[in-house]
């Protein structure tokens, strides 16, 4: 009947939206981060002589401010910093030009132990959410029969990760990891996204 067709149509829209949303995380955010890196005087990840260089960009959302966490191991010495910045406004529009950046040094009681924790969470090998989107669909049974339930989160925080380890570079993004890990507790990759951010927040009290 008509109501069944409309329900099916809604399901198709939801599946299309979630796929587009996840795929979009691998393009625009990382591209815009290149400008942020240059203005914060980060060396090019491809040419830096660091043994390890981890950069996490927190998506600005609807604000004109952002944050970057960087952890570096160079010559067997670890350093860490958190950068906070605002982007200039021009005629009511957010530009790509940084203003008022601040840098806060991060300290760890044991950097090597912290990195081991992150590696145990597969920080250098996790897939992008677009590659596991089939896992983020639940089959449900309703009065109308079987269908699929998809979670789509439009608010919350997005994280872009860029990591250099040795000669290898890894990049991926994820959105609202805690929300997804609660919805899909059996999806290991989603839980690890959440645990990576929680580990860093607990380590640096940020």
């Amino acid at each position: 009947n008509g109501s069944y067709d409309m329900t099916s149509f809604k399901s198709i829209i939801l599946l299309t939206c979630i796929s587009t949303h996840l795929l979009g995380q691998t393009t625009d955010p990382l591209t815009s981060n290149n400008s942020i890196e240059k203005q914060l005087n980060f060396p090019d990840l491809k040419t830096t002589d660091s043994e390890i260089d981890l950069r996490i960009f927190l998506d600005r959302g609807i604000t004109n401010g952002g944050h970057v966490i960087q952890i570096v191991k160079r010559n067997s010495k670890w350093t860490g910093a958190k950068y906070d910045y605002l982007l200039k406004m021009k005629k009511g529009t957010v530009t790509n030009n940084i203003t008022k950046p601040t840098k806060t040094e991060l300290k760890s009681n044991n950097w090597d132990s912290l990195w081991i924790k992150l590696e145990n969470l597969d920080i250098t090998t996790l897939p992008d959410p677009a590659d596991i989107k089939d896992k983020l669909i639940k089959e449900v049974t309703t009065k109308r029969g079987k269908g699929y339930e998809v979670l789509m989160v439009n608010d919350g925080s997005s994280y872009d990760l860029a990591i250099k380890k040795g000669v290898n570079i890894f990049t991926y993004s994820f959105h609202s990891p805690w929300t997804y890990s609660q919805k899909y507790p059996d999806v290991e990759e989603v839980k690890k996204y959440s645990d990576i951010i929680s580990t860093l927040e607990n380590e640096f009290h940020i």
Side-chain angles (χ1 to χ4, degrees), residues 127 129 131-138 149 183-184 186-190:
D131 298 323
I132 59 168
K133 60 181 183 294
D134 291 342
K135 295 184 178 183
L136 305 181
I137 299 174
K138 276 191 172 183
E149 182 182 56
K183 182 68 174 179
Y184 306 103
D186 297 330
V187 180
E188 186 178 15
E189 295 90 343
V190 172

Side-chain angles (χ1 to χ4, degrees), residues 2-153:
S3 60
Y4 179 81
D5 291 342
M6 181 56 70
T7 301
S8 301
F9 181 60
K10 287 180 179 178
S11 297
I12 293 172
I13 290 177
L14 283 174
L15 289 171
T16 303
C17 286
I18 192 70
S19 298
T20 303
H21 178 66
L22 290 173
L23 286 170
Q25 292 178 4
T26 66
T27 53
D28 292 342
L30 288 177
T31 300
S32 63
N33 290 336
N34 295 336
S35 172
I36 300 300
E37 288 178 314
K38 290 179 180 178
Q39 294 181 75
L40 293 176
N41 296 318
F42 285 13
D44 189 314
L45 203 58
K46 295 179 181 178
T47 58
T48 178
D49 61 353
S50 303
E51 299 153 50
I52 295 172
D53 192 327
L54 166 64
R55 303 172 186 185
I56 301 180
F57 300 82
L58 175 60
D59 182 48
R60 292 183 292 106
I62 61 173
T63 72
N64 69 319
H67 316 277
V68 185
I69 291 175
Q70 184 184 31
I71 296 174
V72 175
K73 183 180 183 182
R74 180 182 289 113
N75 298 325
S76 299
K77 181 181 178 181
W78 290 95
T79 57
K82 179 174 178 282
Y83 299 82
D84 303 283
Y85 64 87
L86 295 174
L87 294 177
K88 293 180 180 179
M89 302 286 293
K90 185 176 182 180
K91 296 182 179 180
T93 302
V94 179
T95 71
N96 290 322
N97 298 319
I98 286 181
T99 182
K100 299 180 180 179
T102 60
K103 177 181 178 181
T104 304
E105 298 294 335
L106 300 176
K107 298 184 182 299
S108 171
N109 292 326
N110 192 323
W111 286 104
D112 289 314
S113 176
L114 172 61
W115 182 251
I116 289 173
K117 289 180 184 177
L118 295 175
E119 285 202 311
N120 287 339
L121 292 171
D122 298 327
I123 193 169
T124 60
T125 58
L126 280 172
D128 196 271
D131 298 323
I132 59 168
K133 60 181 183 294
D134 291 342
K135 295 184 178 183
L136 305 181
I137 299 174
K138 276 191 172 183
E139 184 174 331
V140 294
T141 301
T142 68
K143 293 179 180 179
R144 300 181 185 276
K146 289 186 178 181
Y148 295 92
E149 182 182 56
V150 178
L151 175 67
M152 184 169 63
V153 182

